[in-house]
Amino acid sequence: MGDEHEAASRHMPVMRDRCVDLLAPSLDHAGAVAIDGTLGMGGHTEAILERCPQARVVGIDRDPQAIALASARLARFGDRFLAHHAEYDDIAGALAVAGVDRADGILLDLGVSSLQIDDAERGFSYAQDAPLDMRMNPEDPVTAADLLRDLDERELTRILREYGEERFAAKIARSIVRRRETEPFERSAQLVDLVRACIPAATRTQGGNPAKRTFQALRIAVNRELEVLERAIPAAIEGVGVGGRVVVESYHSLEDRIVKRAFAAGAESQAPPGLPVVPEADQPYLRLLTRGAEKASPEEAELNPRAKPVRLRAAERLRPTPPERLRRNA
Ligand SMILES: C[S@@+](CC[C@H](N)C(=O)[O-])C[C@H]1O[C@@H](n2cnc3c(N)ncnc32)[C@H](O)[C@@H]1O
């Protein structure tokens, strides 16, 4: 495979056609509006705009560079594409940009983009030495270097264990706290070397670069990824009208758990079993469109490593959420 081909497959939106298949039925009418909460390089949005000629798409991204690049790429669609620089829980802001109360489809393709990883200076990659930054939005106040300087050992351990699923979290955290007394962490190579030294040689050969999990954990913490997602999923469910669809691609078990729970809560009847007539407030307000979580095909996962961990879930709005249920779910 040539470099060009490799680059093209790395930039290929994950499960692109499946996402569009799931969204298209709700976007096939005049005035339809979709929100792509994770615009990135605009690959998913482009596919939606091509397949659904009546739809407009509002693309949200917290990364101004993604907004600029995707806007240039999508310029040929004129005012069918609208950009919104924000975090993706700002569904209300995106609706206001389109001038509607509810969207017909919302897509979230979580995590970091290959554009961000490929730009060494942004510090996401353990493969290249760069400043320890990792902010998706360069206007955000806290960098990875700040966390490595300020967090106590317990919090560092928690982050590495929970977000990185790192077996040696306690050892790495202890080592960070000791090392920073004499040498502040500024560059990714310092952290890569420290993690390598903490991980026993026998386990080092398995699972690629030993620093991979530590970098993932810090990235999730720097960008408050789970915190924003916890707010975004209910906002997305409330942000689509009846018949509207929400499609989410997760790459981490904690992300997928948030999505799974919120969808399950909406798809279940809340009535006690055996009730002859289920009150409106207890009826499901979502219909699940995927059985469990869907994965990428083996062919796609082989071609694009980013597709390997993906878990795709989708749901359709059946009725407005009864106010009692909204209060209960809060
Ligand atoms: C995996 S990429 C999306 C790729 C996109 N689907 C495409 O086809 O090019 C994820 C994007 O979401 C953005 N992002 C991640 N978390 C975000 C958040 N909380 N709010 C807004 N954008 C976010 C990142 O900056 C990144 O550009």
Side-chain angles (χ1 to χ4, degrees), residues 11-14 16 36-46 60-64 66-67 70 73 84 86-90 107-116 122 124 136-137 223-225 228-229 232 249 251 306:
H11 293 164
M12 173 84 182
V14 173
R16 183 194 63 191
D36 180 350
T38 48
L39 178 65
M41 284 166 289
H44 279 106
T45 288
E46 182 177 60
I60 304 179
D61 208 294
R62 71 195 329 182
D63 183 344
I67 293 277
R73 174 183 185 174
H84 183 45
E87 296 194 354
Y88 52 51
D89 58 337
D90 186 23
L107 172 68
L108 294 172
D109 172 22
L110 305 175
V112 71
S113 72
S114 33
L115 178 77
Q116 291 161 333
R122 301 191 64 174
F124 287 104
M136 291 187 195
N137 182 357
N223 295 290
R224 301 164 283 107
E225 291 180 29
V228 184
L229 186 63
E249 292 185 294
Y251 298 87
R306 223 186 88 73

Side-chain angles (χ1 to χ4, degrees), residues 87 89 224 226-236 258:
E87 296 194 354
D89 58 337
R224 301 164 283 107
L226 300 170
E227 213 179 295
V228 184
L229 186 63
E230 289 271 13
R231 292 194 297 269
I233 298 298
I258 293 170

Side-chain angles (χ1 to χ4, degrees), residues 31-328:
V33 171
I35 297 174
D36 180 350
T38 48
L39 178 65
M41 284 166 289
H44 279 106
T45 288
E46 182 177 60
I48 295 168
L49 287 165
E50 276 172 357
R51 174 91 79 84
C52 309
Q54 310 204 68
R56 290 184 295 150
V57 180
V58 184
I60 304 179
D61 208 294
R62 71 195 329 182
D63 183 344
Q65 202 185 351
I67 293 277
L69 283 173
S71 298
R73 174 183 185 174
L74 300 168
R76 68 186 164 102
F77 295 100
D79 57 11
R80 291 183 58 215
F81 171 70
L82 301 154
H84 183 45
H85 181 217
E87 296 194 354
Y88 52 51
D89 58 337
D90 186 23
I91 299 293
L95 291 171
V97 166
V100 293
D101 292 334
R102 292 277 188 276
D104 301 285
I106 297 184
L107 172 68
L108 294 172
D109 172 22
L110 305 175
V112 71
S113 72
S114 33
L115 178 77
Q116 291 161 333
I117 292 185
D118 288 350
D119 185 349
E121 282 310 299
R122 301 191 64 174
F124 287 104
S125 169
Y126 45 80
Q128 287 144 309
D129 186 31
L132 277 164
D133 189 323
M134 299 197 199
R135 288 170 301 174
M136 291 187 195
N137 182 357
E139 290 155 22
D140 281 352
V142 178
T143 66
D146 294 333
L147 292 186
L148 290 168
R149 186 192 58 227
D150 296 338
L151 295 182
D152 63 21
E153 187 176 327
R154 218 172 120 165
E155 184 60 1
L156 278 171
T157 305
R158 183 191 72 80
I159 285 173
L160 297 179
R161 187 172 290 143
E162 279 182 28
Y163 302 168
E165 296 169 275
E166 173 55 68
R167 271 168 66 197
F168 301 99
K171 194 169 172 195
I172 297 170
R174 198 176 325 124
S175 187
I176 290 170
V177 170
R178 204 174 303 145
R179 179 75 62 86
R180 75 188 179 193
E181 283 172 15
T182 53
E183 182 194 333
F185 284 91
E186 279 158 6
R187 314 252 337 154
S188 48
Q190 291 172 279
L191 187 60
V192 171
D193 290 345
L194 177 136
V195 174
R196 201 182 295 277
C198 288
I199 296 190
T203 54
R204 239 183 265 161
T205 44
Q206 305 154 11
N209 191 315
K212 185 175 168 181
R213 291 178 296 277
T214 295
F215 273 64
Q216 171 183 290
L218 282 172
R219 188 205 86 211
I220 292 175
V222 165
N223 295 290
R224 301 164 283 107
E225 291 180 29
L226 300 170
E227 213 179 295
V228 184
L229 186 63
E230 289 271 13
R231 292 194 297 269
I233 298 298
I237 293 171
E238 286 311 308
V240 290
V242 172
R245 292 174 164 211
V246 180
V247 177
V248 187
E249 292 185 294
S250 304
Y251 298 87
H252 191 290
S253 58
L254 295 177
E255 290 172 346
D256 186 48
R257 193 191 303 167
I258 293 170
V259 180
K260 181 181 171 178
R261 284 193 180 154
F263 281 4
E268 282 161 7
S269 162
Q270 299 292 303
L275 216 63
V277 179
V278 178
E280 179 76 16
D282 290 330
Q283 288 182 20
Y285 53 83
L286 290 180
R287 174 170 77 94
L288 302 183
L289 300 171
T290 47
R291 292 182 100 241
E294 289 183 9
K295 298 181 185 177
S297 68
E299 296 74 34
E300 182 176 352
E302 169 76 20
L303 205 61
N304 179 6
R306 223 186 88 73
K308 255 182 220 145
V310 73
R311 296 286 178 274
L312 182 151
R313 293 181 191 270
E316 184 181 71
R317 181 103 216 176
L318 294 175
R319 54 175 58 77
T321 319
E324 309 87 288
R325 193 91 175 256
L326 267 182
R327 278 195 295 277
R328 244 183 275 156

